Amino acid sequence: MTSVSHEHPHAPASDRPDLLAALAVDLTALDYTVGAVAELLGPAAHEALSRDQTVPALLATRAAADGGDPARAALAAVVRFFLLARPLGRAALDAALPALGAEGLLRLRLAEEADDAGLLAAAADLRPYEWDGAAGATRMWVASDLAAHQRPGVLRTDHVLGIGQASATLVQATARRPVARALDLGTGCGIQAFHLLEHAGHVVATDVSERALAFARFNLLLNAGALGIDPDRPEERFELRRGSLLEPVAGERFDLVVSNPPFVITPRARDEQAEDQFTYRDGGLPGDELVAGLVAGVGAVLAEGGTAQMLANWEIPEGSPWDERVRGWVPEGLDAWVLEREEASPEQYAETWLADASQQRDPGAYEAAYAAYLDDFASRGTTGIGFGMVWLRRPGPGQARLGRFEALTHPLEQPIGPHWAAAVERADWLAARGAVEPGPGRGAAIAGERLVVADDVTEERHQRPGAEHPGVILVRQGAGFRRTSLLSTELAGFVSACDGDLTAGQIAAALAGLLGRDDDGFRDRLLDEAATLILEGFLLPATPAEPEEKA
């Protein structure tokens, strides 16, 4: 399958490389970066804008425009135009963007004629974006549709979302490694593809929306230099395909798949049409069937050792544990690690997604839609909706078989992706020794290993006043998943002795002798618990000592 242009009359144009280059020159000259915009607005106004409150930023840009500094005035004009969606005259835009000019904005479909004669209005949100990667800071600009706080009325159903909380969550959660081929399933404006290009040789990005693909192509080509793309041969690095879920890549294999799919659970109407659905969030299937199908089917496009990470919602039937349905989605032969990050009631869920599309602006429609959500959930006996992150893998030789389903609702260190990758590596390390699953023989498998306490781990002891010994001993992680584990006195003693000098078996034997416990069951249980602490990151294999140089 070959790439196509993916031009769309109601999306930015990507078929004018000369104009894209001129825009990049202007934005670079303006220093239109995250840091420069934050400095221009000031901390309070910048923070308010992150909450979609524009008035403080309007005041700050007005002050910058009147401050007598031409460079700050030009940056303020671009911020007002693209981030605050305030119309500007052609002369102001020509001055701020001299290489492209107002006419170039119109030709790129980034601007349109405003109602007021002589003014132009932004036709898209264009904002700076950056991240720190392996090669240093990557700075770029991302176009998407204007959001609810930038335009009146309900969002269009083919709305192309910008860099929202969900997409940022997936960026931070992805366990990254160099790969040959990666898939961004449901690319939207292209945010996941941008990050994949940093460590993947080739990226395929798919979406059901032709308009979303047009935004993604514009963004990829506007930032060709930062993303290592040759504008004359973009197909060498990325390919855009239109289609639903896995259909555009059927029969292919990828080393890494990421997806922020349209996972929102939306009530179905008997007479609804595809154009009635918000394509950026609604997959058109009842309940959580879209996510269930994706989890069940993504293994078909994973290479051996390949991984998939996605965001998901799932329904929780009354009286059932949150993970019961999700476990049933994972096919035999795939590893799974699912983190539930939060749960919502049907009422909370309805309010969240009705507000997301500004549907509260039509009171009559809002009431009907709210009632439809509640009726839909009640029809399936759903009393809760979970949100979380799904990691899947087609394991290769020597890799662990994982089936972890856990609710972690406390704050995690971000980005969590590197810690997730390290956790999987520890599981594979244990698997190579036959020590992943708890049970007989697990302890013996690590008895010859030397262990150390992870640098971020601290210990807490709690005891009643006057008590001789603590009643509660906890170890806590200050980084990564930030887990807390309750230790027995014996296990606390084991952990305290893990400094890399003695093997785990020697420490267990010493504790058995000290406590008068010479039974094998004591040592086996202690080492079995230690293996769990390795899996969760409290204990780590000691780094082998470097051989001494001979004189």
Side-chain angles (χ1 to χ4, degrees):
M1 184 179 295
T2 58
S3 300
V4 294
S5 67
H6 293 294
E7 284 296 304
H8 192 284
H10 301 294
S14 57
D15 60 348
R16 291 293 304 271
D18 55 330
L19 297 182
L20 287 172
L23 176 59
V25 166
D26 282 335
L27 296 180
T28 300
L30 278 172
D31 194 23
Y32 191 45
T33 61
V34 172
V37 171
E39 190 279 330
L40 177 83
L41 299 180
H46 189 252
E47 177 64 24
L49 189 59
S50 72
R51 302 190 304 270
D52 297 339
Q53 300 299 317
T54 60
V55 173
L58 283 168
L59 297 176
T61 54
R62 187 177 300 161
D66 296 337
D69 183 335
R72 288 178 64 84
L75 180 60
V78 171
V79 169
R80 287 175 70 87
F81 188 72
F82 283 122
L83 300 188
L84 308 182
R86 291 304 190 267
L88 289 178
R90 289 173 178 263
L93 289 169
D94 287 340
L97 303 168
L100 181 66
E103 190 60 33
L105 285 173
L106 289 168
R107 290 179 180 177
L108 286 176
R109 295 195 288 273
L110 291 173
E112 58 192 8
E113 299 287 348
D115 293 337
D116 296 333
L119 296 182
L120 298 184
D125 177 297
L126 182 67
R127 64 182 54 223
Y129 178 65
E130 64 184 56
W131 72 89
D132 290 325
T138 298
R139 295 183 173 89
M140 52 187 297
W141 310 282
V142 180
S144 62
D145 267 327
L146 295 170
H149 69 284
Q150 297 167 308
R151 58 178 298 281
V154 176
L155 299 183
R156 56 187 298 160
T157 54
D158 60 354
H159 178 81
V160 177
L161 196 65
I163 305 168
Q165 182 176 349
S167 56
T169 296
L170 182 58
V171 165
Q172 294 171 326
T174 300
R176 302 192 183 277
R177 55 194 171 87
V179 296
R181 297 192 78 213
L183 169 63
D184 175 12
L185 193 156
T187 190
C189 72
I191 176 66
Q192 306 304 324
F194 308 152
H195 287 268
L196 289 175
L197 283 165
E198 187 176 40
H199 60 101
H202 189 268
V203 175
V204 175
T206 70
D207 206 289
V208 72
S209 167
E210 189 74 29
R211 191 162 175 269
L213 292 172
F215 269 94
R217 182 175 177 82
F218 174 87
N219 289 328
L220 288 163
L221 294 180
L222 175 62
N223 297 284
L227 297 173
I229 295 169
D230 182 345
D232 295 325
R233 294 187 295 274
E235 67 281 355
E236 293 179 353
R237 294 299 320 279
F238 75 85
E239 186 177 346
L240 302 176
R241 301 183 191 174
R242 184 182 182 188
S244 177
L245 298 179
L246 296 167
E247 291 175 1
V249 293
E252 299 182 48
R253 295 291 183 271
F254 296 90
D255 305 298
L256 175 61
V257 177
V258 299
S259 182
N260 179 13
F263 58 73
V264 178
I265 300 169
T266 308
R268 307 266 64 90
R270 183 175 303 174
D271 58 347
E272 75 176 349
Q273 303 295 318
E275 55 268 22
D276 298 325
Q277 301 162 0
F278 291 101
T279 54
Y280 72 93
R281 69 181 203 190
D282 180 9
L285 296 177
D288 50 21
E289 287 185 16
L290 184 139
V291 173
L294 183 55
V295 171
V298 73
V301 301
L302 289 180
E304 186 177 84
T307 55
Q309 288 191 254
M310 65 188 74
L311 303 183
N313 272 166
W314 46 80
E315 294 187 313
I316 305 171
E318 184 176 8
S320 298
W322 72 266
D323 59 329
E324 183 174 333
R325 284 178 55 75
V326 186
R327 287 178 183 271
W329 297 345
V330 181
E332 187 174 350
L334 282 192
D335 294 336
W337 188 343
V338 180
L339 294 181
E340 183 179 69
R341 297 293 291 136
E342 58 186 81
E343 287 185 16
S345 68
E347 292 80 8
Q348 292 170 320
Y349 195 83
E351 293 160 13
T352 296
W353 292 107
L354 288 169
D356 175 76
S358 302
Q359 288 172 274
Q360 75 275 21
R361 295 178 178 179
D362 183 338
Y366 179 83
E367 182 177 337
Y370 199 137
Y373 268 98
L374 299 188
D375 289 343
D376 183 56
F377 285 128
S379 71
R380 292 184 296 275
T382 299
T383 56
I385 302 92
F387 169 80
M389 300 175 285
V390 178
W391 175 92
L392 301 166
R393 179 172 70 177
R394 180 173 294 285
Q399 292 182 318
R401 294 309 317 273
L402 290 173
R404 301 193 68 175
F405 298 80
E406 53 186 332
L408 296 179
T409 57
H410 59 264
L412 309 180
E413 183 183 13
Q414 297 298 347
I416 193 62
H419 301 283
W420 207 327
V424 172
E425 288 175 3
R426 291 194 302 273
D428 289 342
W429 183 88
L430 287 167
R433 290 152 181 78
V436 174
E437 296 297 329
R442 187 193 196 198
I446 66 164
E449 303 293 341
R450 287 176 166 79
L451 306 174
V452 293
V453 180
D455 290 341
D456 65 307
V457 171
T458 57
E459 181 182 273
E460 295 180 13
R461 293 178 178 244
H462 302 269
Q463 62 192 77
R464 293 186 59 79
E468 184 176 357
H469 300 291
V472 176
I473 304 175
L474 302 172
V475 283
R476 297 187 186 276
Q477 294 173 331
F481 290 95
R482 291 175 173 159
R483 303 179 189 276
T484 298
S485 184
L486 176 65
L487 305 186
S488 64
T489 302
E490 295 84 357
L491 188 56
F494 181 95
V495 171
S496 298
C498 287
D499 59 6
D501 288 340
L502 301 176
T503 67
Q506 290 171 330
I507 296 172
L511 284 170
L514 182 66
L515 300 172
R517 300 289 301 274
D518 58 357
D519 58 293
D520 290 337
F522 171 80
R523 290 190 293 273
D524 287 343
R525 285 193 300 273
L526 194 60
L527 290 172
D528 181 71
E529 292 171 340
T532 297
L533 293 180
I534 295 171
L535 185 63
E536 295 188 344
F538 293 97
L539 295 176
L540 304 175
T543 302
E546 295 293 334
E548 294 183 7
E549 294 185 8
K550 294 182 179 181

